[in-house]
Amino acid sequence: MKKLSLCCFTGQVSNIRESKQKHSLRSEETMENLRKNDTADISEEKIVDQSSSRATNIIQNHDFSQGLHSWHANSCSAFVASSDSSDSKEVAAKSDGNYAVVGNRTECWQGLEQDITGGISAGLEYSVSACVGVSGPLQGSADVLATLKLEHRDSETSYSFVGRTSASKETWETLEGTFLLSTLPQRVIFYLEGPSPGVDLLIKSVVITCMSPKESETGTGACVTAGDDNIILNPTFEDGLNNWSGRGCKIALHDSMGDGKIVPQSGKDFASATERTQSWNGIQQEITGRVRRKLAYEVTAVVRIFGNNVTSSDLRATLWVQTPNQREQYIGIANVQATDKDWTQLKGKFLLNGSPSRVVVYLEGPPSGTDILLNSLVIKHAEKTPPSPLPIIENPAYGVNIIENSSLNNGTNGWFSLGNCSLSVGTGSPHILPPMARDSLGAHEPLSGHFILVKNRTQTWMGPAQMITDKIKLFLTYQVSAWVRIGSGATGAQNVNVALSVDNQWVNGGQVEINDDRWHEIGGSFRIEKQPSKVMVYLQGPASGVDFMLAGLQIFAVDREARFKHLRRQTDMIRKRDVTLKFTSTDSANLHGSFVKVKQTQNSFPFGSCISRTNIDNEDFVDFFVKNFNWAVFGNELKWYWTEPQQGSLNYKDADELLDLCQAHKIQARGHCIFWEVESTVQQWIKSLSKSDLSTAVQNRVTSLVTRYEGKFKHYDVNNEMLHGSFYQDHLGKEIRPNMFKLANQIDPSALLFVNDYHVEDGCDPRSSPEKYIEHILGLQEQGGPVGGIGIQGHIDSPIGPVVSSALDKLGILGLPIWFTELDVSSVNEYIRAQDLEVMLREAYAHPAVEGVMLWGFWELFMSRENSHLVEAEGEVNEAGKRYLELKREWLSRAHGHVSEEGEFGFRGFHGSYAVEVVSGSKKILKTFEVDKGDSPLVVSIAL
């Protein structure tokens, strides 16, 4: 082979950039190794073809059929062309399909790269075959090189030569080479480079395959696969217990158990994890080297339990992951309620963001003394779920009440009593629609004034009911509205609930708490997405013996688009400002009539997302996050159970790294949370403290956290979910809650201190109704707690705009900024999920009291709720994600026109950052400016 030209080496050495901002310079030793490797012969072993069933290409999108997905241009530009495109190069005449064009190259080392960390294993040899070409101002041929960039955590980045070929215009050449890494660095980047500056590098395909397909006995040396093969070795125990081991316990092989009553569901044998003394004990297999980062895997296991008189127990599949820097992670994959009666299928998915040094999959969960039985385990690359179709709803009949005889003009016809209670009709209920229904329906005929009186109730679930099975349409969102009142015999507050029984499953249609004898509005919503055989609506809730009254029950489908028109007008009023650009120029005579183009570059309204430490190991996640969000909140990494799992053992490393990422991209961060009031979230060591020691621990927690991050978190959720938990209050008294706020404020007075709770906005939880939340906040303030903001988590189903807006209106009277702090919506159908998300974002953005929205994540498999993600596990933006991006684009202003005689140009635009381009004669001038919040017109002086 020819030696590498000096020009190429010089360019690479003097212009290498660090991974985020600039590469380290290659050391002389590394450069010498490159030269030595370049003179060596390439292995004569034949490269395995990419179509081979025995060797999987670890390069993603190897032929650019998906554009530049998974590829990144290294300090240059790139696009995908085809032989029939207008961008095709000279070589295109000999090409079919797509190829990448890497241009605007100013240095020899600039090219196209892909992170292959998760696709390779230490100690295995890999072959490389790439089809490459060149184009542009070139005489003769140019060298094209394949190189590995090896990023180490505790030492300088190094480079390893892989292969080289000489290419000329109008021909495709094959570049071949091999590599073997004895140890895995933190990241391995494969890239193609080499031609002189100004010469375009063309790449038709890249194939990297493992040359050692045989698996080692331990299973840790197998080549990584992304295909349909099961990565579990000996999955059905045909080879006994080879490749399997016990995790803190023993394992055994069986053809039957329990006097022959337990036999395999399939195959001849099954395994048991026995003599378990801890819930985490179980059966395990190491799968290091057989999983790739950034790929989604589906796990299917056939399991059951046996022994210790346990008939049913939660059984979980878990990954233990160790990173190159010895960090340990536990990733929950799936859980199922396993029994001792029959085999059960356990199914779930997982994805690794980073590049692990070790990965172990294991089963755990049942109490000690109970055996875990495993018949088979399959882990395969997950098939992509086809996108859900857009639901077609014929004759939706928006606004039409589906309740029969709602007016009760025909007595109780259409109604029946659930249980042995009695129903009768009375008069004297309100004649007007409840406010939330009125907001949706507009002008409406008066209600009849009749009500159902429910008496002789002996159970809380007894009340009036109707069957509505044939009146419900799938995927429509229904609003629920009624007047309710409690009769005599009540002692204390009573809960009233509009409930639905959908194939005997309870669905919440709205709840309200009543402690007086007035009429109260009850409101909520629901949606059914799977065809039911029976749907019943009924009212329930008050204690047995308590009478209640129901009037004007309305259940109707909501036209969301109709409300969006109103919200757009409202948004225009509160999120935009009149702006006058006043231009001055030394050449004022030519200023009049100059063309002006205004483009908003960023909306200043906070749209943020939850992120976690493991997420930022995935560069695709980071790329989407920094491009589409301007605020962040950490999922777990700031919570007390994370930062101090054992007393005195502090861990701020994960939060520090997340904060570093945010600061590098000028993203603001919320601190979530200092304390969490719900007892199940409190560490065991805290629960065991005496009152005095607990008080000291609480003070130390505030001091440690807030002092460390003083000025770095703009908000803190001080004591999470105080409407749903009371651990600290129960143990330290009522004064502890305001004292937490006081102490945090003393340490960092610049941070806004928030309350934060859930089900505030949806009408389905009387514990956290807006009225209860207002009472709670006022109570804290009366005790001196400096509450600076109201957090509404926003984990909501089938949202209805007027219901959400009503809650915001009520909370808005406090004059505090309101944030949606953990917003997510869930639907199996992506289009419905997109609609739900649009409802929430439009309601929030159109309400003057709302000052920010945080999504509780956006990436599949890293959400707290299923079917709530915007981006699929392997990076494809789904319909919900597209809707989010469409709204972000809608909320960017653009304007164009000409400078007036007065030297001005006016427009109305959203708050945020802008660029303006002024074209006067042959001159084009670019300037930037900011539009801040304000009621009066903004005048911006721009000197040209």
Side-chain angles (χ1 to χ4, degrees), residues 346-503:
L346 181 151
K347 200 163 187 176
K349 291 171 68 176
F350 72 87
L351 176 143
L352 297 179
N353 285 303
S355 304
S357 57
R358 290 188 65 196
V359 186
V360 174
V361 60
Y362 66 98
L363 301 180
E364 60 171 335
S368 60
T370 303
D371 291 354
I372 296 174
L373 310 187
L374 174 63
N375 189 197
S376 64
L377 178 61
V378 176
I379 301 182
K380 292 184 177 181
H381 181 216
E383 294 184 4
K384 290 189 177 180
T385 305
S388 46
L390 175 66
I392 305 299
I393 303 170
E394 297 182 357
N395 302 317
Y398 295 125
V400 176
N401 189 7
I402 66 173
I403 292 297
E404 181 182 351
N405 188 24
S406 174
S407 66
L408 304 173
N409 289 330
N410 295 321
T412 58
N413 286 344
W415 297 89
F416 62 90
S417 59
L418 192 62
N420 57 6
C421 57
S422 63
L423 308 181
S424 61
V425 176
T427 58
S429 59
H431 286 271
I432 61 171
L433 279 175
M436 288 183 283
R438 196 161 60 243
D439 286 347
S440 292
L441 297 173
H444 194 275
E445 63 183 21
L447 299 180
S448 67
H450 297 157
F451 61 85
I452 294 179
L453 174 61
V454 189
K455 303 188 73 170
N456 303 318
R457 301 173 61 254
T458 58
Q459 299 289 338
T460 59
W461 50 264
M462 290 183 179
Q466 271 196 31
M467 299 304 301
I468 57 173
T469 310
D470 298 333
K471 300 174 184 179
I472 293 292
K473 294 190 176 182
L474 299 185
F475 295 111
L476 277 180
T477 304
Y478 288 90
Q479 183 169 346
V480 178
S481 174
W483 291 111
V484 290
R485 180 180 174 182
I486 296 298
S488 59
T491 56
Q494 300 293 314
N495 177 39
V496 181
N497 170 223
V498 179
L500 293 101
S501 173
V502 182
D503 291 337

Side-chain angles (χ1 to χ4, degrees), residues 148-169:
L148 294 182
K149 180 171 72 172
L150 310 176
E151 295 182 1
H152 308 275
R153 181 171 294 275
D154 300 319
S155 59
E156 287 188 352
T157 297
S158 61
Y159 298 82
S160 177
F161 171 80
V162 176
R164 184 195 66 86
T165 192
S166 182
S168 57
K169 293 194 289 186

